[in-house]
Amino acid sequence: MSQNTLVQQQTIVAHDEHDERHQGAVTKPIYQNSLFTFNSYTTFLASMKEEINASVYSRGTNPTVSELEMRLAKLEGGDRARCFASGMAAISSAVLSVVNTGGHIVCVDEAYGPAVQFMGTYLQKFDIETTFVNGTSLKEIEGAIRDNTKLIYLESPSSMFFSLQDISAIAALAKSRGITTIVDNTWATPCYQSPLALGIDLVVHSLTKYVSGHSDSIGGVIVGRAELMNPLIKNEYLLLGGIMTPTTANLIMRGLRTLPLRMEKFQSQGLTVAGWLEKHPLVKKVNHPLLPSHPQHELAATQMRGGGSLFSFETEVTVETMRKWAERLNYFRIGVSWGGYESLVVVNPISDYKPEREGTLVRLFIGLEDTNELIADLQSSFEAIIEQSMYPMID
């Protein structure tokens, strides 16, 4: 499976073949249909059996959603893609397609919080157990594998501390044991990381983030080989009903058209601000895999072609003071999620994620505002807390 360059990717997302069915429209119409009708039973039955490419009922397939799925499959280098109503709908469906009652999952301990809750708590009612491991350690992942392990779930990089997993090595290990692998590729996007080409079985994304890019739509996707996607589509997708609507697909398609261009900008913006923060006296550590100071920078260089603008930094300034610092910022809004045009900030104790550690974790998403303005905003707020002696250090 090929790893497309940004130039090739831009053609994939921007170019449409002329289609007489749409009156030559530049933007394809939204098929706001619940169902599609036929003039003959021959065509109807062939459509039901997927012998021909035709939609029957929008809970299964819809032309607007299918267009988005086709582009995402091409970008990731997969045979098929299926879009869902949210990232979590995609994640839970992907996991359920792999594990059965009595099965076991190995999951990285820094995965997305709701995904951790789903695998670590919710699935217990089905007698499915999950072991959470340090994803940076191949030895720890291998040590957690049992005879009944069906899935290794990865998120590389993770979205709070931005730790990487060695995707190729883990994929090879899993294949040698007959275990399926899933990777959340939301941070790097298909522009900068190709997990399927590295041996992974299924890739999931929150399309809400970079792919949509406008903070106005929610969605998820699963991409993979046909042999895994076909049963998933017939079972978890159709039976659980977490479908994407045509209107949402149209909004996300609009964002996808400029994804490679925006990712180039996000990468530049993020590294500029992250590099500046590394030099600030109140910043203890910046967690960004593309910085040379990141402990896994060499791994990042081998399995990623670049990255986004979401990262975090650690400080010994108290959480209370850093939350006041965040409130003083003009260009950064306090909010979860990320991937749109606006810059965001969240401040939490490191112990919320790593109970054994003290300190404050600040996660920043660098949007599309001018970086000089953003850095000046950060500096101004830092100066304010210093001047007001608002930064008691942790003992």
Side-chain angles (χ1 to χ4, degrees):
M1 296 179 183
S2 63
Q3 299 182 29
N4 298 305
T5 67
L6 284 175
V7 174
Q8 293 170 322
Q9 291 168 346
Q10 189 55 47
T11 300
I12 290 172
V13 299
H15 180 67
D16 291 343
E17 297 294 337
H18 183 75
D19 193 332
E20 295 293 345
R21 294 174 301 171
H22 305 307
Q23 313 297 319
V26 173
T27 301
K28 291 188 177 180
I30 303 172
Y31 281 85
Q32 195 64 50
N33 301 59
S34 60
L35 77 159
F36 302 82
T37 58
F38 301 83
N39 292 324
S40 75
Y41 258 96
T42 300
T43 306
F44 172 63
L45 293 175
S47 301
M48 292 289 288
K49 295 176 183 178
E50 295 187 349
E51 294 173 351
I52 62 173
N53 183 22
S55 297
V56 177
Y57 182 43
S58 283
R59 186 169 64 81
T61 57
N62 174 281
T64 309
V65 181
S66 295
E67 180 72 16
L68 175 62
E69 292 170 342
M70 178 272 291
R71 310 264 176 164
L72 291 169
K74 282 187 176 181
L75 286 176
E76 278 289 7
D79 296 329
R80 300 191 71 177
R82 191 50 52 121
C83 288
F84 291 78
S86 68
M88 267 311 299
I91 290 169
S92 57
S93 294
V95 171
L96 289 171
S97 74
V98 174
V99 297
N100 298 311
T101 299
H104 175 250
I105 300 169
V106 177
C107 178
V108 294
D109 57 9
E110 292 182 12
Y112 178 54
V116 168
Q117 183 180 356
F118 176 72
M119 286 178 271
T121 304
Y122 184 82
L123 289 183
Q124 289 181 4
K125 67 167 66 178
F126 303 109
D127 192 27
I128 298 170
E129 191 174 352
T130 301
T131 301
F132 294 97
V133 297
N134 177 357
T136 65
S137 171
L138 182 64
K139 184 176 181 180
E140 188 168 330
I141 292 172
E142 184 172 15
I145 293 174
R146 305 175 185 174
D147 291 340
N148 63 335
T149 301
K150 302 299 181 184
L151 169 65
I152 298 177
Y153 185 92
L154 309 174
E155 181 183 317
S156 186
S158 61
S159 61
M160 292 306 297
F161 292 93
F162 303 90
S163 301
L164 307 181
Q165 298 100 58
D166 188 331
I167 294 176
S168 294
I170 296 169
L173 170 64
K175 279 182 168 50
S176 72
R177 305 289 185 91
I179 299 169
T180 302
T181 49
I182 298 175
V183 170
D184 185 333
N185 197 32
T186 303
W187 189 86
T189 79
C191 295
Y192 289 132
Q193 187 165 258
S194 302
L196 296 177
L198 297 174
I200 293 298
D201 295 307
L202 293 173
V203 174
V204 294
H205 288 269
S206 169
L207 299 176
T208 311
K209 310 298 193 295
Y210 285 127
V211 176
S212 172
H214 291 77
S215 299
D216 59 3
S217 51
I218 293 176
V221 70
I222 307 172
V223 188
R225 301 191 313 277
E227 64 189 77
L228 291 175
M229 291 299 299
N230 291 343
L232 185 157
I233 290 168
K234 291 179 179 179
N235 292 295
E236 285 73 27
Y237 178 77
L238 286 176
L239 299 181
L240 297 179
I243 68 166
M244 178 177 286
T245 68
T247 301
T248 298
N250 184 67
L251 286 171
I252 294 176
M253 176 66 83
R254 176 200 59 187
L256 185 67
R257 300 287 193 184
T258 60
L259 177 65
L261 297 175
R262 287 185 290 108
M263 289 308 297
E264 284 188 289
K265 183 68 172 178
F266 281 129
Q267 175 175 256
S268 173
Q269 299 262 109
L271 282 171
T272 297
V273 178
W276 177 83
L277 281 165
E278 272 199 310
K279 301 172 185 175
H280 198 281
L282 292 183
V283 174
K284 184 178 181 181
K285 180 183 180 184
V286 177
N287 300 310
H288 192 310
L290 300 187
L291 289 175
S293 59
H294 191 282
Q296 296 174 293
H297 178 68
E298 289 186 10
L299 176 60
T302 63
Q303 68 184 26
M304 294 194 296
R305 300 177 293 279
S309 61
L310 182 78
F311 63 90
S312 64
F313 69 86
E314 300 174 28
T315 177
E316 293 182 342
V317 180
T318 64
V319 171
E320 179 183 10
T321 297
M322 288 307 296
R323 286 180 173 169
K324 287 182 169 56
W325 170 86
E327 290 172 351
R328 296 183 67 93
L329 295 170
N330 292 316
Y331 289 109
F332 292 82
R333 304 182 188 186
I334 300 169
V336 298
S337 196
W338 43 275
Y341 48 83
E342 72 285 357
S343 293
L344 299 168
V345 58
V346 288
V347 178
N348 288 304
I350 293 178
S351 59
D352 281 0
Y353 313 100
K354 296 183 178 294
E356 74 281 3
R357 290 184 53 193
E358 293 184 326
T360 301
L361 186 72
V362 180
R363 191 178 75 172
L364 294 177
F365 173 70
I366 308 304
L368 297 176
E369 301 92 344
D370 179 71
T371 52
N372 292 323
E373 297 281 1
L374 295 177
I375 289 172
D377 191 24
L378 295 169
Q379 176 62 16
S380 176
S381 193
F382 274 128
E383 289 175 353
I385 65 171
I386 292 171
E387 289 173 4
Q388 296 176 26
S389 299
M390 292 171 59
Y391 57 101
M393 306 299 279
I394 292 174
D395 294 331

